[in-house]
Amino acid sequence: MQFDDDANLDTSEVRDARGSRIPGGRATVGGGVVGLIALLLALFLGIGPEQLGLSSGGDRPEPAASSLAQVQQTCRTGRDANTRDDCRVVAVVNSVQDHWRQEFRRRGRSYSPSPTVFFGGRVGTACGTATSAVGPFYCPGDRRVYLDLGFFGELRTRFGASGGPFAQAYVVAHEYGHHVQDLLGVLGRSQGGAAGADSASVRTELQADCYAGVWARHATSTPDESTGRPLVTRLTAADIRDGLDAAAAVGDDRIQERFQGRVTPETWTHGSARQRQQWFEQGYRTGDMGRCDTFR
């Protein structure tokens, strides 16, 4: 995966909260589509929320003494995105939002941008306070994507993914798939707490995978609005394989096999490895968000 060296990155689409601190209390997640790690462990292994660092508190982060503007200072161009993980995520966020902004416009709709918030340890959101244990997540309460960059290492070491830049891009694009669902008014279908292979929760996650594939299909042809040139200049077959591998690694069946030694489809919340790959492939092959109706 390669970015235009000379493109200017729009760091206004990313908030860098690394170095913030949450005063006292435990962390909480509630009211939205959250990251899969902690929730799946709780469902599959019977781990209580206190063991995962989750509770019902709602503290907001306090600024740390150190600067919170690291991304704004270091992620300026596509060249930076080609050399730094955090800058790469900024570039992916820019590209994903460029695509959806233009797609919504083409369909006569208005796209409201969503910032990505980098955090470490824990972070306050409109959905509650979350620790890094929950992985990447989208909070519909404030329409922001939350990401601890350490998750990408976990994706390789704990979940067995091959990694690579596009594996990271897939994760980011999936969370923005939830933002698209939110704007379209379909995200609420995942609410209610029901689980299982045919649940609304699984269908919601698979649609977000499909939307990630749609973006990937158009990534190298979507013009950056500031330059008129695509921000992503190269996406190879190997990149797509890395994305598919990441999608499989976070399939419910793979996680169940790894952590509990058996597969129980009645507790699925995100879909099987093969389902997640199939829906990403559907989006990538067609490039058409209209072909991402997982609720039919």
Side-chain angles (χ1 to χ4, degrees), residues 2 22 49 53 58-59 68 77 81 88 99 113 144 158 169 175-176 198 209 223 227 238 265 267 283 290 292 295:
Q2 192 79 15
I22 302 294
D59 294 317
L68 303 182
T77 67
R88 181 183 301 120
H99 167 71
R144 295 181 180 183
R158 295 194 65 200
E175 296 307 330
Y176 274 93
D198 294 321
D209 283 332
T227 67
T267 63
C292 292
F295 293 92

Side-chain angles (χ1 to χ4, degrees), residues 47 61 67 75 95 103 110 160 167 171 175 201 274:
I47 298 173
S67 171
C75 300
S95 175
E103 178 65 15
S110 177
V171 170
E175 296 307 330
S201 175
R274 186 59 193 138

Side-chain angles (χ1 to χ4, degrees), residues 9-285:
L9 301 184
D10 182 2
T11 56
S12 70
E13 295 187 336
V14 174
R15 314 284 171 82
D16 193 354
R18 293 174 293 179
S20 296
R21 64 181 182 271
I22 302 294
R26 295 169 297 172
T28 169
V29 173
V33 176
V34 300
L36 55 88
I37 298 177
L39 296 185
L40 291 178
L41 288 176
L43 284 171
F44 302 157
L45 303 181
I47 298 173
E50 293 81 7
Q51 294 169 275
L52 293 172
L54 310 176
S55 79
S56 59
D59 294 317
R60 288 289 181 175
E62 291 181 347
S66 59
S67 171
L68 303 182
Q70 180 176 341
V71 165
Q72 285 74 13
Q73 294 170 354
T74 59
C75 300
R76 298 181 181 277
T77 67
R79 183 174 290 105
D80 299 321
N82 287 322
T83 57
R84 291 178 56 103
D85 282 352
D86 52 359
C87 300
R88 181 183 301 120
V89 173
V90 174
V92 171
V93 169
N94 290 170
S95 175
V96 169
Q97 298 214 97
D98 279 342
H99 167 71
W100 289 118
R101 189 179 292 110
Q102 293 166 35
E103 178 65 15
F104 271 52
R105 186 183 302 136
R106 187 177 71 83
R107 292 173 176 265
R109 303 182 67 108
S110 177
Y111 177 82
S112 300
S114 167
T116 284
V117 180
F118 291 165
F119 73 98
R122 62 177 66 178
V123 65
T125 81
C127 297
T129 307
T131 69
S132 299
V134 301
F137 64 96
Y138 173 75
C139 172
D142 54 26
R143 288 186 166 173
R144 295 181 180 183
V145 171
Y146 291 87
L147 175 62
D148 186 329
L149 296 177
F151 172 77
F152 298 131
E154 294 283 304
L155 190 59
R156 294 191 304 273
T157 60
R158 295 194 65 200
F159 293 90
S162 59
F166 193 77
Q168 300 174 8
Y170 155 75
V171 170
V172 174
H174 171 92
E175 296 307 330
Y176 274 93
H178 289 313
H179 180 57
V180 171
Q181 291 171 320
D182 196 12
L183 295 178
L184 295 177
V186 301
L187 187 60
R189 295 188 185 189
S190 67
Q191 305 302 305
D198 294 321
S199 66
S201 175
V202 166
R203 294 173 187 271
T204 298
E205 297 299 332
L206 296 178
Q207 187 176 61
D209 283 332
C210 188
Y211 286 161
V214 170
W215 161 73
R217 177 71 177 189
H218 297 286
T220 58
S221 60
T222 297
D224 178 79
E225 297 200 342
S226 65
T227 67
R229 304 187 306 269
L231 180 55
V232 180
T233 59
R234 186 176 65 190
L235 198 60
T236 67
D239 290 321
I240 299 303
R241 286 195 296 272
D242 284 343
L244 289 168
D245 183 72
V250 292
D252 286 336
D253 53 341
R254 292 278 185 91
I255 293 175
Q256 288 180 334
E257 288 173 350
R258 182 176 290 265
F259 291 104
Q260 72 177 23
R262 68 186 187 281
V263 176
T264 53
E266 64 272 14
T267 63
W268 287 3
T269 58
H270 284 67
S272 71
R274 186 59 193 138
Q275 284 177 311
R276 301 200 71 167
Q277 289 183 319
Q278 285 176 332
W279 280 102
F280 177 86
E281 287 178 320
Q282 168 87 346
Y284 183 69
R285 185 179 68 255

